[in-house]
Amino acid sequence: MINISDSASDKLKEMLAEQEIPGMFLRLGVQAGGCSGFSYAMGFDDAETEDDVYMDVNDLKVVVDKDSLRLIDGLEIDFEESGMSGGFTMNNPNATATCGCGASFRTALDAGKPAPEEC
């Protein structure tokens, strides 16, 4: 299960409303890289595959591929305003190590493939 705070879901709904393609949803995933081994992938999509898991979180359609789900099950996404900017934060209960910016992680069972030049 993925958890999205009210502030993050409000921001995502606002961003989705700006999309000009009907049927868009939030796609979450993980890819190898980042300084800790895995990087989060978050974006909008309009196509699902048979390898995807669908969730409804705060009235948002969220899709995660099955391989990523094992690494981010329980993920908490928040959105924080900070002065003139803001951004999404990820709190992953599966992460045993994260980079300083919080954009990459590794788990106890899988270190991924770190790429320090990406930090």
Side-chain angles (χ1 to χ4, degrees):
M1 179 63 143
I2 305 296
N3 300 297
I4 302 175
S5 72
D6 290 340
S7 61
S9 62
D10 289 346
K11 186 64 174 177
L12 288 164
K13 288 174 187 175
E14 178 185 315
M15 294 168 70
L16 271 169
E18 295 172 358
Q19 302 299 310
E20 296 183 10
I21 301 171
M24 297 286 285
F25 54 84
L26 178 65
R27 176 173 290 283
L28 297 173
V30 171
Q31 54 196 23
C35 51
S36 294
F38 291 109
S39 294
Y40 297 105
M42 184 168 95
F44 300 125
D45 199 351
D46 65 346
E48 293 180 63
T49 72
E50 61 187 41
D51 291 327
D52 289 334
V53 176
Y54 158 82
M55 295 171 229
D56 185 289
V57 183
N58 293 351
D59 295 323
L60 279 169
K61 181 177 180 179
V62 179
V63 175
V64 181
D65 67 274
K66 292 175 185 173
D67 289 336
S68 292
L69 187 58
R70 68 182 178 82
L71 298 169
I72 60 172
D73 189 32
L75 180 70
E76 297 174 2
I77 301 173
D78 194 11
F79 184 81
E80 298 177 0
E81 294 285 348
S82 176
M84 297 292 289
S85 64
F88 292 98
T89 60
M90 311 288 191
N91 180 12
N92 186 349
N94 303 298
T96 57
T98 60
C99 67
C101 65
S104 70
F105 68 98
R106 70 175 171 254
T107 67
L109 300 176
D110 201 333
K113 295 180 181 168
E117 67 275 2
E118 294 180 23
C119 291

